[in-house]
């Protein structure tokens, strides 16, 4: 048996909040405490001096799109473009650097541009050059602009295609599939390596890939699951089934872990495809429905009976209503405990009201949420207010109400939609742009660690913690002073008293420097070192 003794550190451990040392034997935490007894108890251990670094449970990102993230990291990243002119200049420069192959980019957001509109097909063709296949996904990944050559290659596009506008809905899914198919295996693997390397460098040891036939396709998820890397990948597949036999067969065929993730009930607010009860404030219509209550119910019933975790992508209030109604139907048929035992998930759940919160909490649904959405698009002058009006927008992402009702939360990024930085996500959850909707830093940290492991089916009671018996999956951080943040002064005074034994976290106040990852360890094995 091989033992390491980490000394001279600060450890985030509820069981040993004043620990300065931790012993790890064969990938398992076996002891925490003071350095002197640690050395006495483990005289033959390899000593690792942390030099005052902060050690905390490693993160899990429960909602990512790895190949798309990797293509953003290795290819054309248009997330930082400040105008339409910037976007076209970036396409032109990329096309000159790489004169062959399909151009794939991610992350443009026309709501932040002075022009206030996406590029036309003619403008894109002019920037990329004649005959070039170009696919540029909007930041929410639910619409895209494409060159005329790619539109022609995709063939009849059907619903979601209006000449001169970005492709949406089914047309977008078709164009994306054709664009990704043009990439070679080497380019796809290079992208996956970049994405997983970035995860490890962010203190992340596991990710949940949210794949599907309308997102990345069967080949992508098979290749991803065969890809070797230190970061663990749990794969979700967003395809609806109607029977338990179909559910088992699909999981066996693809080798995925669950049938959920981005199983679309609706689209996104940015692309006007989130399904609403009432019309958008800045456009006609109520969005797009991909699954009705009957389809949601059938899928949830089939997965529950098959013993498979299910999940749904739902953003608009009408979409969340659809999912909540499906949960209620299946719970009435099979019993609430049978549904809760599977740990079924709802991704995003942004426009969720008190009634839907109560329905989903009653059946043990897990909320997979992305706080940086609120930080990026919330507030009185953000994209949400533009799309919905200020009053409706103020109700989005009510994390506090969800947690108070008993919905287990898992915090993630939806990368490449938002940056894969767990500390940034925790800060966004703690400093929600709508007063009363945020979480405490400790609750947000738990949702990015223990809650995210639970969302992936790990319910051993120790995953995502530093306590004896837990897997030695942790990250070492260069961090400043540790603080205990609380909403009320009386709670603040109590929780900073040494007798309360409440562990501190790095400051997450706006503008404060976030911790820098020095090392990431999964099950005792280092997968990243700065």
């Amino acid at each position: 048996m091989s033992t390491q003794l980490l000394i001279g550190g600060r450890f985030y451990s509820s069981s040993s909040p004043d620990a300065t040392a931790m012993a790890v034997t064969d990938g398992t935490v076996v002891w925490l405490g003071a350095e002197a007894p640690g050395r006495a108890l483990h005289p033959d251990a390899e000593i690792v001096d942390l030099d005052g670094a902060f050690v905390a449970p490693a993160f899990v990102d429960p909602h990512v799109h790895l190949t798309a993230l990797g293509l953003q990291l290795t290819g054309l990243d248009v997330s930082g473009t400040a105008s339409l002119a910037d976007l076209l200049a970036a396409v032109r420069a990329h096309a000159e650097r790489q004169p062959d192959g399909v151009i794939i980019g991610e992350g443009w957001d026309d709501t932040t541009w002075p022009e206030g509109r996406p590029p036309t097909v003619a403008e894109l063709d002019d920037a990329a050059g004649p005959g070039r296949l170009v696919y540029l996904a909007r930041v929410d990944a639910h619409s895209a602009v494409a060159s005329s050559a790619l539109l022609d290659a995709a063939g009849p596009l059907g619903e979601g295609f209006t000449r001169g506008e970005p492709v949406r809905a089914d047309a977008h899914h078709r164009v994306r599939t054709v664009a990704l198919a043009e990439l070679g295996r080497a380019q796809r693997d290079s992208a996956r390596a970049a994405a997983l390397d970035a995860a490890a460098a962010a203190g992340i040891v596991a990710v949940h890939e949210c794949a599907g036939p309308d997102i990345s396709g069967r080949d992508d998820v098979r290749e991803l699951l065969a890809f070797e890397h230190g970061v663990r990948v749990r794969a979700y597949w967003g395809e609806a089934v109607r029977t338990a036999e179909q559910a088992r067969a699909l999981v066996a065929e693809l080798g995925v872990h669950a049938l959920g993730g981005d199983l679309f009930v609706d689209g996104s607010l940015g692309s006007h495809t989130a399904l609403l009860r009432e019309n958008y404030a800045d456009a006609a219509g109520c969005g797009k429905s991909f699954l009705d209550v009957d389809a949601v119910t059938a899928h949830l019933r089939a997965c529950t009976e098959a013993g498979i975790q299910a999940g749904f992508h739902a953003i608009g209030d009408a979409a969340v209503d659809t999912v909540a109604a499906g949960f209620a139907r299946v719970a009435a048929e099979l019993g609430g405990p049978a549904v809760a035992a599977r740990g079924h998930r709802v991704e995003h759940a942004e426009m969720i009201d008190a009634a839907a919160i109560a329905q989903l909490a009653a059946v043990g649904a897990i909320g997979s949420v992305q706080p940086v959405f609120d930080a990026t698009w919330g507030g009185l002058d953000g994209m949400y207010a533009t799309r919905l009006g200020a009053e409706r927008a103020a109700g989005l992402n009510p994390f506090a109400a969800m947690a108070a009702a008993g919905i287990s939360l898992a915090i993630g990024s939806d990368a490449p939609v938002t940056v894969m930085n767990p500390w940034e996500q925790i800060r966004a959850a703690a400093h929600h742009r709508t007063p009363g909707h945020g979480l405490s830093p400790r609750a947000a940290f738990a949702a990015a660690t223990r809650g995210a492991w639970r969302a992936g089916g790990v319910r051993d009671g120790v995953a995502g913690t530093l306590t004896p018996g837990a897997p030695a999956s942790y990250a070492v951080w260069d961090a400043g002073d540790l603080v205990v943040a609380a909403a009320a002064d009386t709670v603040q005074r109590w929780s900073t008293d040494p007798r309360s034994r409440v562990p501190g976290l790095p400051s997450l106040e706006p503008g404060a420097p976030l911790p820098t990852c020095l090392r990431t360890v999964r099950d005792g094995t280092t997968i990243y070192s700065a």
Side-chain angles (χ1 to χ4, degrees):
M1 299 177 70
S2 174
T3 298
Q4 276 191 335
L5 182 65
L6 286 68
I7 64 170
R10 298 169 294 166
F11 293 84
Y12 187 83
S13 172
S14 296
S15 64
S16 304
D18 51 358
T20 58
M22 180 174 76
V24 173
T25 299
D26 290 346
T28 301
V29 176
V30 295
W31 178 88
L32 290 101
E35 179 181 336
R39 287 181 179 272
L41 289 168
H42 307 281
D44 300 322
E46 174 193 353
I47 302 298
V48 179
D49 191 343
L50 297 169
D51 194 25
F54 176 59
V55 182
F59 293 111
V60 175
D61 194 322
H63 194 119
V64 300
H65 304 280
L66 288 170
T67 303
L69 172 60
L71 290 170
Q72 184 186 74
L73 294 172
T74 61
L76 178 56
D77 179 4
V78 293
S79 61
T81 52
S83 66
L84 171 59
D86 280 355
L87 175 83
L88 295 173
V91 172
R92 184 172 289 105
H94 184 85
E96 291 172 355
R97 289 193 305 269
Q98 299 185 19
D100 298 314
V102 60
I103 298 175
I104 293 183
E106 305 267 352
W108 57 271
D109 185 356
D110 54 319
T111 65
T112 66
W113 293 347
E115 299 90 348
R117 67 169 180 86
T120 65
V121 174
E123 289 171 332
L124 201 59
D125 286 347
D126 180 66
R132 196 75 184 266
L133 301 181
V134 184
Y135 167 86
L136 302 180
R138 195 182 181 280
V139 63
D140 55 31
H142 284 268
S143 61
V145 290
S147 64
S148 57
L150 179 56
L151 293 173
D152 291 343
L157 294 175
E159 185 179 5
F161 174 66
T162 300
R163 188 166 298 280
E165 296 182 7
V167 287
R168 299 179 174 87
D170 295 338
H172 174 232
H173 299 157
R174 172 63 182 164
V175 168
R176 183 181 185 89
T177 298
V178 172
L180 291 176
E182 292 294 322
L183 298 176
R185 176 65 183 269
Q187 189 174 358
R188 293 194 296 270
D189 279 348
S190 176
R192 293 166 189 136
L196 291 167
D197 287 349
I204 295 168
V205 295
V207 295
H208 298 173
E209 167 70 16
C210 291
D214 297 327
I215 303 167
S216 53
R218 281 169 157 75
D219 289 342
D220 182 78
V221 76
R222 289 192 185 101
E223 291 171 3
L224 178 60
L225 287 170
F227 192 77
E228 295 290 335
H229 197 279
V231 175
R232 178 183 299 167
V233 176
R234 178 177 173 85
Y236 287 76
W237 183 252
E239 182 174 348
V241 296
R242 301 199 65 84
T243 67
E245 291 74 19
Q246 289 177 346
R248 294 188 190 99
L250 190 54
V251 167
E253 175 196 348
L254 296 175
V256 296
H257 302 92
L259 297 179
D262 274 335
L263 175 50
F264 296 125
V265 178
D266 67 344
S268 74
L269 291 166
S271 293
H272 292 101
T273 51
L275 186 64
L276 309 182
R277 297 171 187 161
E278 301 175 6
N279 281 354
Y280 282 87
D282 64 342
C286 294
K288 170 68 178 175
S289 172
F290 293 100
L291 295 176
D292 60 16
V293 177
D294 290 341
V296 168
T297 302
H299 182 77
L300 196 60
R301 182 195 303 115
C303 290
T304 302
E305 291 176 341
I308 294 168
Q309 185 184 33
F312 303 92
H313 164 118
I315 287 181
D317 47 10
V320 176
D321 290 346
T322 298
V323 172
F327 269 91
R329 285 187 184 182
V330 177
E333 294 177 30
L334 304 180
V339 176
R342 298 276 67 83
H344 300 311
R345 293 166 49 157
V346 183
E347 309 295 322
H348 315 308
E350 292 200 81
M351 293 184 72
I352 185 170
D353 63 11
I357 288 173
Q359 281 184 298
L360 293 171
V363 293
I366 294 171
S368 172
V369 299
Q370 296 75 35
V372 178
F373 285 8
D374 172 73
T376 305
W377 299 306
L380 296 176
D381 56 352
M383 182 269 287
Y384 290 157
T386 301
R387 292 288 186 267
L388 303 171
E391 183 177 353
R392 278 196 293 175
L396 264 65
N397 299 298
F399 303 139
M402 296 169 75
I407 293 179
S408 177
L409 297 180
I411 283 179
S413 66
D414 198 9
V417 176
T418 69
V419 65
M420 193 163 54
N421 183 333
W423 290 114
E424 194 66 59
Q425 295 152 22
I426 294 167
R427 176 153 63 187
H431 296 279
H432 201 291
R433 298 185 69 174
T434 299
H437 281 358
L439 302 172
S440 71
R442 288 180 63 214
F445 183 84
T449 51
R450 288 186 289 128
W453 281 113
R454 187 176 186 275
V458 181
R459 303 186 183 188
D460 58 11
V462 294
T465 69
L466 295 182
T467 191
S473 294
Y474 59 89
V476 181
W477 302 90
D478 180 4
D481 293 338
L482 304 184
V483 298
V484 177
D489 181 61
T490 53
V491 176
Q492 176 78 9
R493 291 199 304 272
W494 167 81
S495 57
T496 54
D497 189 310
R499 292 170 294 180
S500 69
R501 296 181 64 78
V502 175
L505 286 167
S507 174
L508 297 171
E509 288 300 308
L514 294 175
T516 301
C517 189
L518 302 175
R519 188 184 320 139
T520 305
V521 178
R522 175 190 150 196
D523 297 333
T525 299
T526 298
I527 62 173
Y528 168 77
S529 182

